[in-house]
């Protein structure tokens, strides 16, 4: 069963298939995937440096997996009683609870000794409407990304902000519990109706049995107390929290799926980081490939412009194109031999021939003019000829890059379509103008023989 299938299984109600076992195996697989990311020799140091914080999280996660720790986070609006709920679960006032708007301003956590020894940690977070939209989303994604189970706390019917936040959390692929706090404010009939509405809001996000009413810090009850002299006095009597249903459901999940939850979180993070590394590696390769292509464009354009022998300059250009293809293959980690590079270049050239026949015709004419002019008009003809060589190198480089980026494959469209798309996507006039200006500047600054 894959990791995404395991997550979907955890969000199904009980009574279906028996839960799959093998939490230890899942932990080992997750740890292996994290270590593979840490030890991958193909990831350049520059990318490792840019992802230093994420690599630090891998070390933390490996330690977490080794010790079998599970993290549970709470989310909710300001003053719905998130901190009070965690205190009620812990059985001690570990989290600050106050009447001020938004007492919790940063995420904090405590070990829950009742659950799996000290292997479960409860995480408190600021209210979701206490931060700006971007900050709220960043916090939700960050804390949920570090958590294995999420409790979303409300104290009444859900607002649009709460529904959006619940969907955001569901998108992190963490199993969710929805807790209706301050249930003591409602009659039994009102409470059942409210739970039904919450289950409707959470349809597809939270299974019905994970929508649970709690009283983390119930209001004191006013009672009449008879004094020694017979007088009746109204006094407030504190009531004990009632989170037994939620505690029982959490412990049930932890007992059956605790190790799998931790492994699932680690595996999801490893997959996300792997995708991010791949994206950054692609960007780095594209940037380096672009600079390499330009370097060869300049070298080829100037070399062709300076060579007074017709056709010979075209042969020199072909040699540079082979070198370019080989250079690009090393950038993309798929090194080609000179023969393989020549074959790839021949494939690209065959497609370019049909598309650029006129261009190569002008190239040959310019080459002949360069010899016939005995050097008198070299500056004029050489710049035009070099610019065409520059443009041809851009096309060769982009086509080879596309082939290598797809793992030495042209894809379903084949080389003809790929090359045609590249030709259409490039601004030929702009490239030729830039090439002529650069080549003329080089010729002008060239020292006299």
């Amino acid at each position: 069963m894959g990791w995404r299938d395991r997550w979907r299984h955890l969000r199904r109600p009980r009574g279906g298939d028996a839960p799959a076992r093998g939490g230890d195996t899942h932990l080992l697989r997750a740890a292996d995937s994290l270590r593979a990311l840490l030890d991958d020799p193909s990831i350049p140091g520059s990318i490792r440096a840019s992802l230093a914080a994420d690599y630090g999280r891998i070390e933390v996660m490996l330690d977490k997996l080794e010790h079998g720790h599970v993290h549970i986070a709470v989310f909710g609006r300001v003053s719905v009683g998130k901190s009070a709920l965690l205190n009620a679960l812990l059985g001690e006032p570990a989290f600050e609870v106050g009447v001020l708007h938004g007492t919790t301003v940063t995420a904090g956590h405590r070990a829950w000794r009742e659950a799996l020894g000290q292997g479960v940690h409860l995480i408190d977070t600021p209210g979701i409407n206490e931060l700006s939209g971007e900050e709220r989303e960043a916090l939700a994604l960050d804390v949920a990304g570090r958590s294995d189970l999420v409790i979303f706390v409300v104290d009444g019917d859900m607002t649009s902000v709460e529904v959006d936040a619940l969907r955001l959390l569901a998108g992190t692929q963490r199993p969710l519990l929805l807790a209706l706090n301050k249930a003591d404010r409602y009659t039994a009939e009102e409470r059942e109706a409210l739970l039904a509405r919450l289950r409707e809001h959470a349809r597809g996000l939270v299974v019905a049995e994970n929508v649970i009413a709690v009283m983390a810090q119930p209001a004191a009850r006013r009672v009449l107390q008879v004094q020694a002299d017979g007088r009746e006095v109204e006094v407030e009597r504190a009531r004990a929290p009632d989170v037994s249903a939620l505690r029982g459901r959490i412990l049930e999940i932890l007992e059956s799926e605790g190790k799998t939850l931790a492994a699932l979180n680690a595996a999801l993070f490893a997959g996300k980081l792997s995708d991010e590394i791949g994206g950054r590696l692609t960007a780095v390769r594209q940037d380096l490939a672009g600079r390499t292509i330009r370097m060869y464009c300049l070298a080829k354009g100037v070399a062709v412009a300076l060579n007074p022998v017709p056709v010979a300059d075209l042969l020199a250009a072909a040699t540079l194109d082979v070198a370019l293809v080989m250079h690009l293959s090393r950038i993309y980690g798929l090194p080609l031999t000179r023969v393989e590079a020549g074959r790839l270049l021949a494939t690209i050239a065959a497609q370019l021939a049909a598309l650029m026949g006129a261009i190569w015709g002008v190239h040959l004419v310019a080459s002949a003019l360069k010899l016939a002019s005995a050097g008198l008009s070299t500056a004029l003809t050489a710049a035009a000829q070099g610019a065409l060589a520059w443009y041809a190198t851009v096309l060769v480089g982009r086509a080879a890059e596309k082939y290598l980026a797809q793992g030495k494959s042209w894809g379903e469209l084949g080389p003809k379509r790929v090359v045609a798309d590249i030709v259409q996507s490039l601004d030929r006039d702009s490239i030729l103008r830039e090439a002529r200006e650069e080549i003329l500047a080089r010729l002008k600054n060239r020292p006299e023989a």
Side-chain angles (χ1 to χ4, degrees):
M1 184 181 291
W3 293 113
R4 295 183 187 278
D5 294 330
R6 293 293 306 146
W7 175 73
R8 284 193 288 269
H9 166 77
L10 289 169
R11 287 176 58 179
R12 289 203 302 265
R14 288 172 295 181
D17 298 335
R21 300 296 177 180
D24 289 330
T25 300
H26 295 148
L27 287 176
L28 289 174
R29 287 173 54 198
D32 287 344
S33 66
L34 291 176
R35 290 192 186 94
L37 279 176
L38 284 178
D39 301 335
D40 188 348
S42 68
I43 300 173
S46 59
I47 293 180
R48 286 182 179 274
S50 69
L51 294 171
D54 291 309
Y55 275 95
R57 282 184 62 183
I58 291 179
E59 298 284 4
V60 171
M61 279 193 168
L62 282 171
D63 182 71
K64 177 171 171 266
L65 290 174
E66 181 181 347
H67 292 88
H69 289 174
V70 175
H71 289 176
I72 302 174
V74 296
F75 280 85
R77 286 186 298 106
V78 170
S79 301
V80 294
K82 301 184 300 297
S83 302
L85 177 58
L86 291 179
N87 287 338
L89 289 171
L90 286 169
E92 58 178 296
F95 295 93
E96 183 179 1
V97 178
V99 296
L100 295 177
H101 184 79
T103 301
T104 302
V105 294
T106 58
H109 67 90
R110 294 290 188 279
W112 188 9
R113 293 178 178 81
E114 179 182 348
L116 305 180
Q118 295 187 34
V120 177
H121 293 257
L122 302 178
I123 303 173
D124 196 7
T125 63
I128 60 174
N129 56 333
E130 193 171 47
L131 306 169
S132 69
E134 291 183 359
E135 291 175 327
R136 180 169 65 243
E137 182 174 351
L139 176 69
L141 294 176
D142 180 59
V143 178
R146 300 168 188 264
S147 305
D148 309 304
L149 183 66
V150 178
I151 305 171
F152 195 96
V153 186
V154 297
D155 61 2
D157 199 7
M158 296 183 75
T159 65
S160 60
V161 171
E162 288 174 319
V163 173
D164 289 343
L166 186 64
R167 289 188 182 129
L168 175 65
L169 290 170
T172 66
Q173 300 185 338
R174 300 300 185 278
L176 300 173
L177 294 166
L178 179 55
L180 170 61
N181 194 20
K182 304 179 184 179
D184 53 296
R185 301 191 305 186
Y186 307 98
T187 65
E189 183 178 341
E190 291 171 337
R191 186 161 57 246
E192 289 306 314
L194 185 51
L195 286 171
R197 286 200 297 275
L198 292 176
R199 291 185 179 107
E200 186 62 30
H201 285 309
R203 184 185 298 274
L205 306 175
V206 183
V207 296
E209 66 182 11
N210 284 352
V211 182
I212 301 169
V214 296
M215 293 181 287
Q217 195 175 31
R221 178 180 293 131
R222 290 183 175 275
V223 297
L224 290 176
Q225 187 176 62
V226 180
Q227 303 296 306
D229 59 4
R231 289 183 301 111
E232 292 184 344
V233 179
E234 190 178 67
V235 297
E236 290 187 346
R237 181 171 297 169
R239 288 191 289 173
D242 183 1
V243 295
S244 56
L246 179 63
R247 178 189 287 113
R249 181 65 182 127
I250 293 173
L251 293 177
E252 180 183 4
I253 291 173
L254 293 179
E255 182 180 355
S256 63
E257 303 285 0
K259 291 182 178 180
T260 296
L261 285 175
L264 172 63
N265 182 13
L268 288 172
F269 177 76
K272 179 182 176 183
L273 182 59
S274 180
D275 290 343
E276 187 170 353
I277 289 173
R280 295 199 185 188
L281 188 57
T282 297
V284 168
R285 283 172 170 166
Q286 288 176 338
D287 178 66
L288 183 55
R291 287 188 278 117
T292 299
I293 291 171
R294 180 176 176 80
M295 178 183 69
Y296 274 87
C297 284
L298 180 59
K300 181 175 169 182
V302 172
V304 168
L306 292 176
N307 194 333
V309 181
V311 182
D313 53 0
L314 300 181
L315 296 176
T319 301
L320 281 172
D321 284 341
V322 170
L324 169 60
V325 171
M326 294 178 67
H327 198 152
L328 290 174
S329 72
R330 291 193 295 272
I331 290 175
Y332 279 89
L334 299 168
L336 299 174
T337 64
R338 182 171 293 276
V339 172
E340 291 172 326
R343 289 174 185 158
L344 176 57
L345 180 59
T347 300
I348 296 172
Q351 302 306 322
L352 287 174
L355 296 169
M356 299 175 59
I359 290 177
W360 284 109
V362 172
H363 193 172
L364 287 168
V365 170
S367 181
L369 283 174
K370 191 166 55 176
L371 180 64
S373 65
L376 295 177
S377 59
T378 297
L380 297 177
T381 59
Q385 188 181 25
L388 290 171
W390 181 307
Y391 176 60
T393 301
V394 172
L395 294 174
V396 168
R398 293 303 178 202
E401 183 187 9
K402 184 73 172 179
Y403 173 81
L404 294 165
Q406 295 180 154
K408 296 169 69 172
S409 168
W410 290 112
E412 296 180 359
L413 299 178
K416 182 177 180 180
R417 184 69 259 175
V418 170
V419 172
D421 288 345
I422 290 172
V423 171
Q424 292 174 7
S425 68
L426 296 176
D427 186 343
R428 184 185 63 184
D429 293 338
S430 176
I431 293 173
L432 290 174
R433 183 166 53 252
E434 178 190 3
R436 281 196 301 269
E437 292 173 356
E438 187 74 26
I439 291 170
L440 283 172
R442 291 298 180 110
L443 292 176
K444 186 180 298 183
N445 295 328
R446 180 169 171 259
E448 294 296 332

